[in-house]
Amino acid sequence: MQNDVESRIPLFSTSGSLHDWLAANQQPKFRAQQIGQWLYQNRATGFDSMTNLPLAIRQQLAESFDFWTTEIAKHLKSNDGTEKLLVKLDDNSHVECVLLRDGHRRTICVSSQVGCAMGCVFCASGLDGVKRNLDSHEIVEQMIRLQHCLEPQQRLSHIVMMGMGEPLANVDNVLAALDVATAADGLGISPRRVTISTVGLPAAIEKLAGYGKPYNLAVSLHAPNDLLRNQLVPVNDKIGIQAIIDAADRYFEISGRRLTFEYVLLGGVNDSTDCAMELSELLRNKSALINVIPYNPVPGLPWVSPSEKSIANFGDILRRNKINVKFRVRKGSDIAAACGQLRRQQVTEISASQSIGQTQ
Ligand code: SAH
């Protein structure tokens, strides 16, 4: 039964249910287009505002669909223009997402899972393991919620899948959500402005390559050898750096997109001259960018940020070895914008002002 409360459909469902519903209700084809326009261009927040739809249809839509399945539990704004949302899902769990303003860029950082199973020892998102994958409509809703934070004349320009969770452990839902983000009648963001960040799951990287959209791939490496990486990124034990590099190389061959390797610099752990030399060797002659991210302290964890001197030394060695290197700029530090931190605060009820943060 369409109007049964039990069968209400998430409006941002990616399975074609809106089209099916319109067909079942004998609506002309252009209705889907009109509704899409309201959702993705006009930033509607309810069916009432869809004034070019007959009132009866608006009412029926409201009976059949949930406009939102999420709520905004917290909305934090940083002095540097960064905004962070703590989003409450319909099972009462929480995820985070961020809007970053940088020149003309309006980048959003979106979560793919509640928690994370990868267990990277320095990351706040995975401290309590993974609860579940996000459904594709929950990923799209984060994007739309962040779009609504923009000034009316501004548009979202970039998406990074660098929020909570491992996107390639939920690859089907992530790809379905990104289809909406990149569709001309969706958010209209070029796939070349979308980056999927992964701990490095070779089978899923292959799948992504086969999907055929020129998304950017960022691999979180964090160590130049398996001995160290096994300690920092426990899932590496079963995978190994070489298998990840091979999959990333194939991704580059197929997509033509320059690879990014992320390297969180932990003071006294992976920031030595030897590590920088070994990393240079590993990435020599690759069309790759290495994105060095000085560790952003997570309350309760034993790791420390690297010293200015070791950051500079690490960068110098990479550059001398002709590796393209970029340092990640801190943003949103006053609103705990690093992934997983705000949700953790919610759980542990630490006040936002006590926390230090960094965005992706
Ligand atoms: N699971 C994906 C997305 C994670 S978030 C991945 O592993 O890539 C994106 C990046 O932020 C990853 O490189 C992650 O290792 C890094 N990160 C996590 N916690 C951090 C912290 N406290 N300080 C700096 N970077 C962090």
Side-chain angles (χ1 to χ4, degrees):
M1 280 268 303
Q2 242 140 33
N3 293 347
D4 186 355
V5 178
E6 293 299 308
S7 64
R8 288 170 68 84
I9 310 162
L11 183 60
F12 291 99
S13 161
T14 58
S15 60
S17 36
L18 181 61
H19 282 86
D20 295 347
W21 185 93
L22 290 170
N25 286 277
Q26 286 88 43
Q27 288 300 302
K29 282 230 160 63
F30 62 81
R31 278 288 176 254
Q33 220 180 336
Q34 284 177 317
I35 296 169
Q37 190 114 41
W38 282 109
L39 297 182
Y40 301 108
Q41 265 82 56
N42 302 349
R43 305 181 192 178
T45 53
F47 294 106
D48 290 350
S49 58
M50 301 183 180
T51 44
N52 58 355
L53 265 56
L55 187 59
I57 292 297
R58 279 185 258 162
Q59 283 166 349
Q60 284 173 39
L61 281 166
E63 280 161 19
S64 300
F65 289 88
D66 278 326
F67 196 97
W68 302 114
T69 65
T70 59
E71 282 170 36
I72 298 180
K74 270 189 192 165
H75 184 168
L76 303 184
K77 296 181 189 183
S78 162
N79 299 331
D80 66 14
T82 303
E83 295 188 46
K84 180 158 197 165
L85 303 178
L86 183 68
V87 175
K88 186 172 148 194
L89 309 174
D90 64 3
D91 64 353
N92 287 333
S93 42
H94 292 84
V95 293
E96 302 173 20
C97 55
V98 183
L99 166 68
L100 296 139
R101 294 181 164 88
D102 184 14
H104 291 300
R105 284 187 180 212
R106 296 293 175 268
T107 303
I108 55 172
C109 176
V110 176
S111 292
S112 55
Q113 297 183 307
V114 181
C116 185
M118 300 300 116
C120 300
V121 294
F122 51 83
C123 176
S125 295
L127 289 176
D128 302 316
V130 68
K131 186 170 176 197
R132 67 174 175 89
N133 282 343
L134 293 190
D135 207 322
S136 48
H137 72 264
E138 293 170 320
I139 302 174
V140 174
E141 280 188 40
Q142 292 174 66
M143 299 173 183
I144 303 294
R145 295 281 198 187
L146 290 166
Q147 185 205 35
H148 289 189
C149 296
L150 293 174
E151 294 72 5
Q153 74 284 3
Q154 291 180 344
R155 289 172 48 98
L156 297 179
S157 64
H158 294 72
I159 299 180
V160 294
M161 295 302 306
M162 293 186 185
M164 292 173 59
E166 168 49 46
L168 293 190
N170 184 18
V171 64
D172 292 334
N173 291 343
V174 166
L175 289 174
L178 289 176
D179 277 345
V180 175
T182 54
D185 55 1
L187 289 172
I189 297 171
S190 162
R192 290 183 163 74
R193 292 178 165 191
V194 173
T195 300
I196 299 176
S197 179
T198 177
V199 75
L201 305 177
I205 293 175
E206 294 280 350
K207 182 166 188 172
L208 191 62
Y211 200 64
K213 284 214 175 171
Y215 295 133
N216 302 300
L217 182 69
V219 176
S220 292
L221 203 54
H222 311 322
N225 59 61
D226 283 325
L227 194 66
L228 185 55
R229 195 169 195 265
N230 289 346
Q231 290 168 29
L232 301 179
V233 183
V235 286
N236 189 64
D237 213 8
K238 292 188 234 86
I239 305 169
I241 290 179
Q242 199 50 52
I244 298 171
I245 301 264
D246 290 347
D249 282 345
R250 272 195 300 282
Y251 189 81
F252 172 67
E253 269 167 40
I254 293 170
S255 69
R257 303 299 292 156
R258 181 173 74 166
L259 300 169
T260 297
F261 291 94
E262 292 157 286
Y263 194 101
V264 170
L265 213 53
L266 301 159
V269 175
N270 64 355
D271 61 344
S272 66
T273 298
D274 283 353
C275 281
M277 304 277 277
E278 204 176 344
L279 186 62
S280 307
E281 202 48 52
L282 188 68
L283 302 180
R284 194 179 292 286
N285 298 327
K286 275 194 200 311
S287 179
L289 173 78
I290 172 125
N291 197 347
V292 180
I293 313 163
Y295 175 62
N296 174 41
V298 175
L301 294 186
W303 317 97
V304 294
S305 302
S307 65
E308 289 300 325
K309 201 173 143 203
S310 84
I311 297 174
N313 178 54
F314 203 84
D316 285 347
I317 294 171
L318 293 177
R319 281 188 211 98
R320 236 179 287 139
N321 285 293
K322 306 209 166 17
I323 308 286
N324 296 310
V325 52
K326 212 173 101 185
F327 284 84
R328 191 165 287 173
V329 182
R330 284 181 178 228
K331 283 203 170 223
S333 55
D334 50 337
I335 57 165
C339 52
Q341 294 207 352
L342 186 59
R343 169 175 171 262
R344 216 166 159 69
Q345 283 177 7
Q346 175 86 356
V347 174
T348 55
E349 295 190 353
I350 298 167
S351 89
S353 59
Q354 281 177 288
S355 177
I356 313 163
Q358 172 200 306
T359 54
Q360 310 314 323

